[in-house]
Every structure is written in structure tokens, then in C-alpha cells.
Amino acid sequence: MRKEFSFKNYFIYAFRYWIVVAVCAVLGLGAGLVSGIVLSDKEYVKYEGNVAISGVSSFFEDLSDKSEIPASLYSTIKERALSVMRSQLISDKTYQQLGKEWRELDANKKLTVNEAKDKFFERLQIADSSYYISVSFVQDKKESGDFPAKAVNTYLEIAKAEAISGEPMLADKVGDTPETVESKLTITSATERVESTLDGIGLLKGAVIGMAGGFIASMLAMLIAYCIDKRITSYGDIAEFTGRKLLGVSKGSVTNKVCPRIDCEMSGAQALAICGSEETAKRLSVLCGEYAVSAGHKTLRIDFSCGDGTEPDAFGAYVGGGKLSDCVKEENGVFVMNGTRSWALALGNEEKITELKKQFGRIVICAPYRDDGSVGVLSKISDKTVFALNQNKMRMPDMLGLVQEADAGEKAIGTVIEKTGRSFVGGNVYFVSDEEE
């Protein structure tokens, strides 16, 4: 027996448990707002400077007495200088000079030595082109101080010094006056530039994404809950096995409103077996008995719900040879005969059942499902069978066991469901399509 699935029933099921959906959506909204605050866009200050290498014309006088072609030798010097200035050696020397000051900044005091160093190198970025290297250092705009500019300028000075140390020809060419000094390596000091990052999502976007995420997560959770819910959530779950007629559904206890429908389905038959949840079967059998009396039938109710031994086994006494008048009692115009384990004697004493049918116009048999074979026996001696279930208590495996044990076939005229909770979404009517018929 598989649960009947439809999107309509699923959405009704989820709506019934709207509090779960609402809580998840609110939690998602809260998470989105927190993310929007924590991951808000940030502004950074970027300090950037560079060291540029002069063109080949600045080296003609120095290269004129060399045996190599000036342009070729210039390219070699330039590449060597760029390689030195962007090397890790320069970064290390820069940190050696500024590391102590860097660790004393408020933002870095709680960092370990290695963490502070890694953070420094992460902030310090080196890029190069054909004629220059660019050095930048980034910090949060909220942080104050001149350290970023100092880091860039220090790196540039060390890079220039190291490049000249490796190739003296890169040193400034001094003229007769300070104004005529020609620089081979030109430093552009650090300049400030404000930049924004897009790593944030903002409050509004965070709220929308969070709420949508919470809603989707809750709907997926409700889908899983709906699929694994062992309760009978729709009459379609059991219609194929129970006569394809939903005779009655009630949120509370079953009422006598279902009795006329059951009586119509009897079609002149005498013996009706009501099988299912013990309390529900008991209530419905009492109601059907009283309705049959009001409809003019002399009615007998055989009640097998008294398995606790509190009532004498009148059915067993009758089958064993007792007088009918001594085995029945009257309740609200209905003759009642209680039974316990004596149901097992019913099939072997058909003449006794036949005698009851001659004496009474309507026989209502209360047959609670206990998985002991009693429902199968009592259904066999009946003309029609009605399934009665408490939706809050009876699960799909129980219902499957019930219909298999009853093996009612064409005798089954439908089902009565009571005590329906929020999980029941199948409505009050079940229709059979022409194709199914």
C-alpha cells in the first residue's frame, strides 16, 4: 500500500503545518539580516606607488663603449632590474624594517608572529609591466594611520637600492648641478585611492534571500514529512482496498450522519461487519444499530470489542447451545450479544448464524482489528463490510493488515474515518473517474 501523492494534497498538508513554514521563514529572515550586516560592502584605502626604468636613450652614453649592441644590453639590464625589484627578497627586507611597527597596530596585536607576517604579505601586492613595477598596500578605510603609505615607500626605496646594487649602471647620472641629475630609476611615491568591495549582500537582499531560503527549506522538510508520514492522509491512500467509497469523515467522533449512507449500501442485506479501530468500530456499530431500529428493523448487535473479560461471552454461550433469549440483552431498543474469543466458533456453526438471521432483520457485528484472524472470520459470516478507522491512531501498515485479513472483496462498501487531524488532507469526498471504473 503506497501513499497517494498529489501536489494539491502536499500543499494542503504543508499549509496545515504553516507554523513550521513560518518559523523556518523567520529563521531564514534572521539569518539573512545577520548576513547582510556581517557581509556588508566594505571600503578599502589602497596606497600605490611604482619604480619606473628610464628608456634606452638614458643609457646610450654608458653603453657606447660596450662591445654589445646597446639595445640588446639595455633589455638585459631592464629585465634583471625588474626581476630583482619584484623578488620576495625585497618583501622580506621591507617586513624586517616595518614588522615591529606592523605588529603593534591595534588590529594585529592579537595575531601571532606568523599570522601578522602572512597578513602583511597579503596586503602588500606587487605587479610589473615592461618598464616598471607597481607596489600597493591595502587597508580597511576604518583603520587610521600612515602605515600603508610607509610600507609602499619603504618597499620602493629598498627595491631601487637592490637593483642599483646588482647593476651600478642604474644609478642616477649626476650632472654639474642638482637640477641636471638624470634618474635611471624613477620612484613615484605612494598615493591614496579609495576602493569598495562587493563581498556584501546588503540588508534588503540578505532579508529576501534568507526568507526565501527558509521557506524553500521548510517546504522541502514538509515534503519529506508528507512522504514518510505513515498516517492515512487521503482517502485515495486506501480507496483501492476499501470499496472506493468514503462514507463519512469527521474531525471528532463519528456521528449518526453516516448511518443513512451505510443503510443505502446494504441493499437488503442483513449482516453488517464493522471492522477497524476498536473505539471507532464500537461507536459506529452502536450508531448503526440504533439507526436500524429507528428504520423499523429488529436489530441485533454482536459486540466483540469486550475482549478484556469484563462482559460475559454471550455469543460463545449461544453457539454452545444456550437459549437466544438468555444470551441477549436490550440497550435502547437494540438487542446486544457480547463476545470475546468465541468468534472462532462462528464458521463452524453456520446454522446458529442462520437462526440469528431468521430472528433479526439487521445484525451489526463490531469486529475490532487485533491482527488475530477475528476480522477475517467475522467478515466471512457477514453480508457487507464497513471499515472504520481513527485517523490519528491507525497507520498505513495497520490498514493494510486490516484489509488483507478481512478479505471482504465485493462485500466492502466503504470507509468511515473519525478523529482526523491536520495531517488528513483528502477532503470529505472521494470520486472514482470513468477510467478507473
Side-chain angles (χ1 to χ4, degrees):
M1 184 183 295
R2 294 180 299 175
K3 183 184 290 292
E4 182 184 62
F5 179 85
S6 73
F7 283 104
K8 176 184 177 181
N9 286 349
Y10 158 62
F11 284 120
I12 295 175
Y13 184 92
F15 177 76
R16 295 274 178 84
Y17 292 91
W18 63 269
I19 188 66
V20 176
V21 178
V23 168
C24 290
V26 171
L27 290 176
L29 172 62
L33 290 174
V34 171
S35 299
I37 294 172
V38 174
L39 299 178
S40 58
D41 290 345
K42 296 180 180 179
E43 284 190 326
Y44 291 92
V45 179
K46 184 176 184 179
Y47 292 85
E48 188 174 25
N50 59 65
V51 180
I53 302 176
S54 298
V56 66
S57 60
S58 301
F59 293 82
F60 274 157
E61 183 176 338
D62 299 303
L63 298 175
S64 60
D65 58 345
K66 304 292 184 181
S67 58
E68 298 181 50
I69 300 174
S72 177
L73 183 56
Y74 167 75
S75 294
T76 301
I77 294 172
K78 181 182 67 172
E79 292 302 325
R80 188 182 301 140
L82 290 173
S83 177
V84 169
M85 290 190 294
R86 65 171 176 259
S87 67
Q88 183 62 37
L89 174 65
I90 310 301
S91 297
D92 291 337
K93 287 189 174 184
T94 303
Y95 189 74
Q96 288 175 8
Q97 286 194 24
L98 303 177
K100 183 178 179 180
E101 182 180 348
W102 171 249
R103 292 196 302 273
E104 290 176 352
L105 296 178
D106 292 340
N108 304 327
K109 286 181 177 180
K110 294 183 180 181
L111 301 179
T112 65
V113 173
N114 289 333
E115 288 174 343
K117 187 175 183 179
D118 291 341
K119 182 179 178 181
F120 178 86
F121 288 138
E122 182 182 345
R123 297 284 185 91
L124 184 67
Q125 301 294 323
I126 313 299
D128 64 354
S129 184
S130 301
Y131 294 94
Y132 67 91
I133 64 164
S134 177
V135 183
S136 61
F137 196 94
V138 177
Q139 76 168 7
D140 194 318
K141 189 178 180 182
K142 296 178 182 179
E143 299 175 10
S144 59
D146 59 353
F147 185 87
K150 183 184 293 186
V152 171
N153 292 330
T154 300
Y155 186 101
L156 297 175
E157 293 293 342
I158 294 174
K160 179 177 179 180
E162 288 294 327
I164 293 173
S165 175
E167 179 52 70
M169 194 180 298
L170 292 170
D172 294 344
K173 181 179 179 181
V174 181
D176 297 333
T177 64
E179 289 77 12
T180 60
V181 173
E182 184 177 356
S183 178
K184 303 288 185 60
L185 294 175
T186 303
I187 292 179
T188 302
S189 298
T191 56
E192 177 182 337
R193 186 173 66 198
V194 177
E195 294 185 346
S196 295
T197 63
L198 300 179
D199 55 354
I201 57 176
L203 284 178
L204 179 59
K205 188 184 294 185
V208 172
I209 294 175
M211 180 174 287
F215 176 78
I216 293 172
S218 67
M219 294 303 289
L220 289 175
M222 294 308 302
L223 177 61
I224 295 172
Y226 175 76
C227 291
I228 66 176
D229 194 335
K230 295 298 184 182
R231 289 172 293 187
I232 297 162
T233 55
S234 167
Y235 187 63
D237 297 342
I238 58 175
E240 185 177 353
F241 307 92
T242 57
R244 291 182 174 260
K245 286 189 178 179
L246 182 57
L247 300 172
V249 176
S250 55
K251 291 183 179 180
S253 298
V254 62
T255 67
N256 59 6
K257 291 182 179 180
V258 303
C259 295
R261 300 168 193 165
I262 295 174
D263 195 61
C264 289
E265 296 295 330
M266 291 297 290
S267 301
Q270 286 181 271
L272 170 68
I274 299 178
C275 311
S277 308
E278 184 165 344
E279 293 179 359
T280 306
K282 172 80 171 181
R283 273 191 287 271
L284 186 57
S285 63
V286 170
L287 292 173
C288 286
E290 293 174 351
Y291 180 83
V293 170
S294 66
H297 299 290
K298 183 180 180 181
T299 303
L300 170 67
R301 187 177 83 242
I302 307 176
D303 190 350
F304 287 95
S305 66
C306 306
D308 56 0
T310 57
E311 296 286 345
D313 191 349
F315 182 77
Y318 167 73
V319 174
K323 291 179 62 175
L324 179 60
S325 59
D326 295 335
C327 298
V328 298
K329 60 183 179 180
E330 188 175 351
E331 293 179 2
N332 298 325
V334 179
F335 293 93
V336 180
M337 181 184 293
N338 294 316
T340 54
R341 300 288 300 178
S342 56
W343 56 264
L345 304 174
L347 289 179
N349 295 273
E350 294 182 10
E351 71 282 358
K352 290 289 186 179
I353 305 301
T354 302
E355 181 182 341
L356 290 176
K357 289 183 178 180
K358 290 179 180 179
Q359 293 290 327
F360 297 94
R362 176 66 51 81
I363 300 174
V364 180
I365 303 174
C366 176
Y369 173 61
R370 298 190 178 100
D371 194 21
D372 58 0
S374 59
V375 167
V377 170
L378 298 174
S379 180
K380 287 260 190 272
I381 66 172
S382 303
D383 301 321
K384 298 291 183 180
T385 299
V386 169
F387 296 104
L389 66 99
N390 181 329
Q391 190 263 343
N392 268 332
K393 291 184 178 180
M394 205 162 195
R395 301 298 192 254
M396 297 281 283
D398 300 325
M399 195 66 197
L400 179 59
L402 170 63
V403 296
Q404 287 179 335
E405 184 177 310
D407 193 22
E410 294 299 322
K411 291 182 179 181
I413 60 177
T415 303
V416 175
I417 304 175
E418 72 165 6
K419 302 291 183 69
T420 57
R422 288 182 295 177
S423 61
F424 189 81
V425 297
N428 298 327
V429 182
Y430 183 80
F431 295 101
V432 182
S433 65
D434 294 337
E435 290 77 5
E436 290 180 298
E437 293 178 345

